Amino acid sequence: MQRSQRNNRENSEKSSNIKGPIFAVAPMLDWTDRNCRLFHRQLSARALLYTEMVTTAAIRFGDRDKLLGFSHEEHPVALQLGGADPAELAFAAKVGEDWGYDEINLNVGCPSDRVQSGRFGACLMLEPALVAECVAAMRAAVSVPVTVKCRIGVDEQDPEEALDKLADAVIAAGVSALWVHARKAWLKGLSPKENRDIPPLDYDRVRRLKARYPNVFIGINGGINDLDAALDLLKTLDGVMLGRAAYQEPALLGSVDRLVYGVATEDADPYAVVERMRPYIAAYLAAGGRLSAFTRHMLGLYHKVPGARAWRRILTEGGVKEGAGLEVIDAALDALQRRKAA
């Protein structure tokens, strides 16, 4: 057996301690905050939820309660970190574990100007050895799983070579799972928004990686718009991660426990979900919070349902008003019911 083949086999036999299938909601800046995750948890008890990316510098110097605080109802929940210094990532990972997160994830996929100026995120696709150092340092610091979310390559990289090099390095370092956004990222010439749509998807590239590492958790992200597509991908991969589709049409999460995890349960009913959210929202308002901090995440709950436009309009216009309370949600539900009865 050739040495490279033997090394690949030995690395893959360092079997991941994460097993599929896993359905996850992707980490999304300005979207997947603690209020969003609490709302998503009412729709699925099993889906893995991720924080927004938090930089190591923010954890070192910032308000940790604001950055890392979450409700126990959110479990399982993973903390995504942004950074490129192994020692700082180890420190931040340990802080995250102490706060109670179930997993620590390293961002190797975000192409924003912010991460480029700090030489982390998708830039790290160019430095697989450094990513491996970061993973090893984080693993040494914590007992919870350490995972990586990456792209298939950046700029002019050949995805065949780039993804294999990154995967080989982090698997040798003991990564627990690798989530792959199945597109390249273009660090120059495309905005972060364009990087979510313009580079072509290549699911087969991720499948080939899984074939190389059958015993390592390989999950996929990018362009997955519904549960049918997710279930199809789970035939060959260990996990699926939805981003905008899960956020903009959250009701699809209501079927995840039954369809992905095989739980004998009824799908979450959107009306029941709203009722379960009431005590959380009331407590948040009583502590001085604004209604829009929750309602902005709930706008898509009735996507494609008669009355959805009125629901969105009332929550959008009423949620931002000073002193707005649960009566805004009542008004939005009343509009839905009237449209349903018409």
Side-chain angles (χ1 to χ4, degrees):
M1 181 182 293
Q2 294 181 353
R3 179 179 298 176
S4 61
Q5 292 175 322
R6 183 172 63 251
N7 288 344
N8 286 344
R9 181 178 63 100
E10 290 171 351
N11 288 343
S12 69
E13 288 174 354
K14 295 178 180 179
S15 180
S16 165
N17 57 356
I18 295 180
K19 303 298 181 184
I22 288 179
F23 179 99
V25 178
M28 292 176 281
L29 283 171
D30 300 321
W31 287 9
T32 52
D33 61 22
R34 61 195 299 181
N35 296 330
C36 174
R37 298 191 305 267
L38 188 58
F39 167 53
H40 284 171
R41 182 57 69 216
Q42 310 313 309
L43 289 149
S44 169
R46 298 292 190 92
L48 175 60
L49 306 179
Y50 278 81
T51 68
E52 305 168 87
M53 181 184 68
V54 184
T55 66
T56 55
I59 290 177
R60 173 73 76 177
F61 302 110
D63 181 342
R64 292 181 189 167
D65 184 61
K66 181 178 179 180
L67 293 166
L68 300 177
F70 67 97
S71 303
H72 68 87
E73 293 96 332
E74 293 175 43
H75 291 292
V77 59
L79 169 65
Q80 186 181 68
L81 295 177
D85 181 277
E88 287 301 298
L89 281 164
F91 170 80
K94 179 58 178 170
V95 172
E97 180 182 48
D98 290 345
W99 274 78
Y101 284 95
D102 300 296
E103 171 193 323
I104 309 296
N105 177 266
L106 177 60
N107 185 319
V108 187
C110 179
S112 71
D113 292 341
R114 176 188 180 197
V115 302
Q116 290 186 53
S117 65
R119 210 193 90 198
F120 60 99
C123 301
L124 289 173
M125 290 296 302
L126 298 166
E127 300 187 71
L130 175 58
V131 179
E133 288 182 44
C134 294
V135 168
M138 294 161 71
R139 273 184 50 83
V142 301
S143 58
V144 296
V146 172
T147 66
V148 166
K149 185 172 185 289
C150 68
R151 294 278 184 139
I152 61 173
V154 296
D155 297 338
E156 300 297 338
Q157 282 186 318
D158 177 358
E160 293 298 324
E161 180 180 357
L163 184 58
D164 276 353
K165 281 187 175 181
L166 190 282
D168 290 349
V170 298
I171 289 169
V175 78
S176 295
L178 186 60
W179 289 96
V180 185
H181 186 155
R183 305 179 195 268
K184 269 190 175 185
W186 288 90
L187 302 177
K188 303 297 181 184
L190 291 181
S191 69
K193 181 179 184 300
E194 291 170 329
N195 264 302
R196 293 194 295 267
D197 295 302
I198 292 177
L201 288 161
D202 191 350
Y203 292 161
D204 285 341
R205 178 65 192 94
V206 186
R207 292 188 180 103
R208 291 194 294 276
L209 179 65
K210 178 59 184 175
R212 289 187 66 227
Y213 287 111
N215 297 323
V216 176
F217 181 104
I218 305 293
I220 193 165
N221 172 229
I224 308 168
N225 294 321
D226 54 49
L227 288 184
D228 287 341
L231 292 169
D232 185 61
L233 288 164
L234 284 172
K235 295 175 182 176
T236 52
L237 296 162
D238 302 302
V240 291
M241 179 181 281
L242 272 67
R244 285 168 292 165
Y247 186 89
Q248 294 167 354
E249 192 178 345
L252 68 80
L253 297 176
S255 302
V256 163
D257 294 355
R258 177 176 60 87
L259 294 177
V260 176
Y261 293 98
V263 179
T265 184
E266 293 184 2
D267 294 350
D269 174 70
Y271 289 96
V273 167
V274 173
E275 291 306 305
R276 289 199 294 271
M277 288 300 298
R278 287 180 182 275
Y280 299 115
I281 297 173
Y284 185 79
L285 296 174
R290 298 180 68 91
L291 182 65
S292 58
F294 273 100
T295 54
R296 73 186 186 95
H297 301 303
M298 300 169 65
L299 297 178
L301 182 60
Y302 293 97
H303 183 69
K304 295 182 180 179
V305 173
R309 181 177 297 179
W311 164 265
R312 293 193 302 269
R313 177 181 56 79
I314 293 169
L315 291 189
T316 300
E317 295 175 357
V320 297
K321 293 180 179 178
E322 191 70 31
L326 293 173
E327 72 280 352
V328 174
I329 294 176
D330 292 334
L333 285 174
D334 287 344
L336 272 170
Q337 294 288 10
R338 289 195 301 273
R339 180 66 177 82
K340 185 177 180 181

